[in-house]
Amino acid sequence: MGEERSDARSAGRSGRGVIDALVRGLVEAERHALDAERLADAAGLLQRFDPRIKLVALFALIVGAVATRSLTTLAVLFLVAVALAALSGISPVRLGRQVWAGVLLFSGLVVLPALVLVPGEAVAQLPFVGWTITLQGLRSAAFVIGRAETAATLALLLVLTTPWPHVLKALSGLGVPAVIVAILGMTYRYIFVLMQAARDMMEARRSRVLAPTSGRERRRLLLTAAGMLLARTLALGTEVHFAMIARGYRGEVRLLHDFRTAPFDWMFLALALTVPVVITGWQL
Amino acid sequence: MTATAFDFRDVTYAYRGQAALAGLSFAVDLGERVTLLGANGSGKSTLLRMMDALCFPAAGTALALGASLTEAAFVDEAVNYAFRRRVGLVFQNPDVQLFNPTVLDELAFGPLQLGWDKARVKAAIEATLARFGIGHLRDRPPHRLSGGEKKRVAIASVIITEPDVLLLDEPTAALDPRSRADLVAFLAHGLGAGRTVITATHDLDIIDDISDRSIVLEEGRVAADGATLDILHDVDLLRRTHLVFEHHHSHAGPQAAGHGHLHDH
């Protein structure tokens, strides 16, 4: 009897556990978004630039990182990215958590075979299997990881130091079709509405889960929640379309740009554009 | 002679096989402040959408500002433009209406779609932000606004184009008492004279402040149409249309213990 009760309690906990995990995930996602918005509004070097200029300049630095065939240049660009982050109020800890660890894991897995497959001068031998790690293999791996880390860091700097609406307007200002910009904007806007809807749904469910739930029941719960959310998304989409028509939308999106550039912006852009030009010119 | 804003005759409309409007007739003159009253499912929201040319009658005739409310008529860009310039609808759920990334973009959307030049749009945005006291929200994304702020921005985003006719769907729904009071004060005194304002609601506490005339809907038909105060005093009508109910309860206190009677709410 005691064992049965204990099993029931544990099943009940696991039933709530799935819901709790989903709610925690949604809350965490919202917290991340809020943090990013706060950082984008904070005082910092990159936050001061015109978003269009920043977009082009950081893209130029990414091109430079991808184009270079020098590990030293790559290291310098990486340090520049870290310095820009520091001057914009983004700590290395945050970069490590949000970019470096993930990129290192994935790009590291991808380049692992290159260490032993690329022919060249042997630098070490793996125990047990006897495979030889070559200097050229290590160099290739360092390039891939270095480029991925630098490019991802620069991309994250754009996202963390620019409010998302400004990124969208910058894209529009640089010639990206307005309809694509509008779709990206609405996606961002309604992610939060749907996250809130999902959270409300899960919390309502959690408040009513008292008895133990089986694995099958939990799977059913997730499928039902996904279905409900999809139905709500479709209904919301129709309503939003009506709201757009009501305010004069006829299939063509028009946007308002109110950015202003300063000499400071153009200096940053000139410096950033110099990087890929010098790198490619030097390598020719 | 007073110009007519809306003239509906024997209008019917069905949604997913259910009759939402069933032979509805009424007319509203320009400059009138009218409340559409009705319980949930009485057809208020459908009617407002039809008045904003978002859906069209299946039968009967409907005229809005002289234009025939038919799908065929609104294919014409000129008819659509002229209508959208003069009629604005505030949706019940502000999350539906606030689809832009920031408050500023939200205010700019309507004027830009109507083809205003950018200098005029910017001037209108500044004036509207000041008028609604929402300047501090200009760069905020809508998901960071409170319920009252969302509602205020939603109304501002429609008012910015200064429509002759303003349609509001349940404007006080889900608002806290302070936001509700502010909104009612704005609807009562802040819209300026001469604008036609039609509000769908079942919030009887506000209708005397925001309208002179009320149309009561019941199952897609007009159950009553008259002066707001007369409608408010017709308790039988309000009971029949489920706008008030009889509530039986006991007063607290030792002397009142066991004493019960009916109240109208």
Side-chain angles (χ1 to χ4, degrees), chain B residues 117-227:
Chain B
D117 67 66
K118 292 196 172 170
R120 187 179 169 200
V121 174
K122 285 179 184 176
I125 289 173
E126 294 309 324
T128 308
L129 287 170
R131 180 178 177 186
F132 282 79
I134 51 174
H136 61 294
L137 305 176
R138 61 187 300 147
D139 292 320
R140 292 261 289 274
H143 62 269
R144 297 278 171 250
L145 304 180
S146 69
E149 289 171 339
K150 278 184 188 175
K151 190 61 93 175
R152 210 183 301 180
V153 174
I155 294 175
S157 71
V158 172
I159 288 286
I160 189 168
T161 55
E162 296 291 353
D164 297 330
V165 178
L166 181 64
L167 308 170
L168 298 127
D169 194 359
E170 301 285 1
T172 54
L175 289 184
D176 60 61
R178 172 70 194 267
S179 305
R180 183 171 172 273
D182 287 347
L183 180 61
V184 170
F186 175 75
L187 294 177
H189 311 291
L191 286 170
R195 181 171 279 137
T196 311
V197 183
I198 300 174
T199 311
T201 185
H202 44 55
D203 187 347
L204 296 182
D205 292 342
I206 67 166
I207 65 169
D208 185 28
D209 291 320
I210 63 168
S211 68
D212 311 306
R213 174 184 164 200
S214 292
I215 299 172
V216 183
L217 299 181
E218 187 183 24
E219 295 178 354
R221 291 187 185 86
V222 174
D225 183 348

Side-chain angles (χ1 to χ4, degrees), chain A residues 211-230:
Chain A
T213 51
S214 64
R216 191 177 167 183
E217 182 65 20
R218 289 197 295 273
R219 283 193 295 279
R220 201 181 66 80
L221 160 71
L222 288 176
L223 286 173
T224 313
M228 284 292 294
L229 207 56
L230 184 64

Side-chain angles (χ1 to χ4, degrees), chain A residues 30 33-34 37 164-166 168-169 185-186 188-190 192-193 236 239-258 260, chain B residues 49 52 54 74-77 80 84 87 91 95-102 104-106 108-110 112-115 118 121-122 125 141-144 157:
Chain A
E30 280 182 39
L34 191 63
E37 280 172 22
W164 184 240
H166 292 185
L168 295 178
K169 280 191 191 174
M186 283 193 200
Y188 178 75
R189 163 79 184 93
Y190 284 104
F192 291 95
V193 175
L236 190 63
E239 288 285 286
V240 170
H241 187 233
F242 276 139
M244 292 174 73
I245 291 173
R247 277 154 72 195
Y249 174 72
R250 294 287 273 179
E252 189 195 341
V253 178
R254 293 165 187 163
L255 299 167
L256 186 69
H257 301 285
D258 50 358
R260 283 201 187 94
Chain B
R49 279 160 194 243
D52 197 34
L54 295 174
F74 275 76
V75 171
D76 186 333
E77 288 290 341
N80 184 67
R84 299 289 169 217
V87 182
F91 284 68
D95 275 330
V96 162
Q97 187 156 350
L98 306 182
F99 46 78
N100 283 287
T102 66
L104 190 137
D105 294 313
E106 203 59 67
F109 185 86
L112 287 173
Q113 300 312 306
L114 294 177
K118 292 196 172 170
V121 174
K122 285 179 184 176
I125 289 173
H143 62 269
R144 297 278 171 250
S157 71

Side-chain angles (χ1 to χ4, degrees), chain A residues 100-119:
Chain A
W100 297 339
V103 172
L104 182 65
L105 181 72
F106 286 106
S107 57
L109 280 175
V110 171
V111 297
L112 210 55
L115 295 177
V116 292
L117 289 178
V118 174

Side-chain angles (χ1 to χ4, degrees), chain A:
Chain A
M1 184 75 183
E3 257 176 47
E4 270 176 28
R5 245 195 316 249
S6 157
D7 285 350
R9 271 200 304 272
S10 120
R13 274 198 301 272
S14 66
R16 288 179 65 110
V18 174
I19 303 169
D20 285 345
L22 283 168
V23 172
R24 269 200 309 275
L26 290 166
V27 171
E28 189 66 8
E30 280 182 39
R31 197 181 59 75
H32 268 299
L34 191 63
D35 271 1
E37 280 172 22
R38 276 201 200 112
L39 196 52
D41 286 333
L45 179 71
L46 284 176
Q47 285 90 334
R48 290 173 58 194
F49 293 119
D50 178 292
R52 294 165 301 176
I53 298 282
K54 192 166 25 177
L55 186 67
V56 176
L58 291 175
F59 184 70
L61 292 176
I62 290 173
V63 169
V66 173
T68 184
R69 281 182 240 148
S70 155
L71 274 176
T72 313
T73 309
L74 194 54
V76 169
L77 282 174
F78 181 74
L79 289 175
V80 166
V82 176
L84 285 173
L87 292 170
S88 309
I90 303 165
S91 72
V93 176
R94 184 177 192 130
L95 289 175
R97 211 177 50 231
Q98 279 191 256
V99 193
W100 297 339
V103 172
L104 182 65
L105 181 72
F106 286 106
S107 57
L109 280 175
V110 171
V111 297
L112 210 55
L115 295 177
V116 292
L117 289 178
V118 174
E121 188 186 329
V123 288
Q125 200 160 34
L126 289 174
F128 308 116
V129 287
W131 295 341
T132 307
I133 295 173
T134 64
L135 184 63
Q136 283 71 14
L138 273 175
R139 225 176 118 74
S140 299
F143 263 119
V144 172
I145 293 172
R147 280 176 181 148
E149 293 283 16
T150 309
T153 306
L154 290 165
L156 187 75
L157 289 187
L158 174 72
V159 176
L160 287 182
T161 61
T162 321
W164 184 240
H166 292 185
V167 175
L168 295 178
K169 280 191 191 174
L171 287 172
S172 167
L174 294 169
V176 174
V179 68
I180 293 176
V181 175
I183 290 170
L184 285 171
M186 283 193 200
T187 306
Y188 178 75
R189 163 79 184 93
Y190 284 104
I191 278 174
F192 291 95
V193 175
L194 292 170
M195 275 205 304
Q196 183 62 47
R199 204 172 126 187
D200 291 346
M201 217 155 51
M202 289 300 154
E203 282 177 344
R205 176 77 194 190
R206 184 169 61 172
S207 69
R208 285 178 287 151
V209 173
L210 301 171
T213 51
S214 64
R216 191 177 167 183
E217 182 65 20
R218 289 197 295 273
R219 283 193 295 279
R220 201 181 66 80
L221 160 71
L222 288 176
L223 286 173
T224 313
M228 284 292 294
L229 207 56
L230 184 64
R232 280 193 191 193
T233 309
L234 291 174
L236 190 63
T238 310
E239 288 285 286
V240 170
H241 187 233
F242 276 139
M244 292 174 73
I245 291 173
R247 277 154 72 195
Y249 174 72
R250 294 287 273 179
E252 189 195 341
V253 178
R254 293 165 187 163
L255 299 167
L256 186 69
H257 301 285
D258 50 358
F259 294 136
R260 283 201 187 94
T261 52
F264 181 63
D265 292 305
W266 295 107
M267 278 165 56
F268 177 57
L269 181 64
L271 269 173
L273 286 176
T274 310
V275 173
V277 172
V278 168
I279 287 171
T280 45
W282 184 45
Q283 286 172 174
L284 283 176

Side-chain angles (χ1 to χ4, degrees), chain B residues 8-47:
Chain B
F8 279 45
R9 291 183 192 182
D10 295 321
V11 168
T12 65
Y13 180 80
Y15 181 70
R16 291 182 180 165
Q18 290 272 337
L21 303 178
L24 179 137
S25 300
F26 71 96
V28 173
D29 287 335
L30 276 174
E32 271 197 284
R33 297 189 312 154
V34 179
T35 298
L36 299 176
L37 283 173
N40 289 336
S42 59
K44 300 188 302 287
S45 294
T46 306
L47 179 56

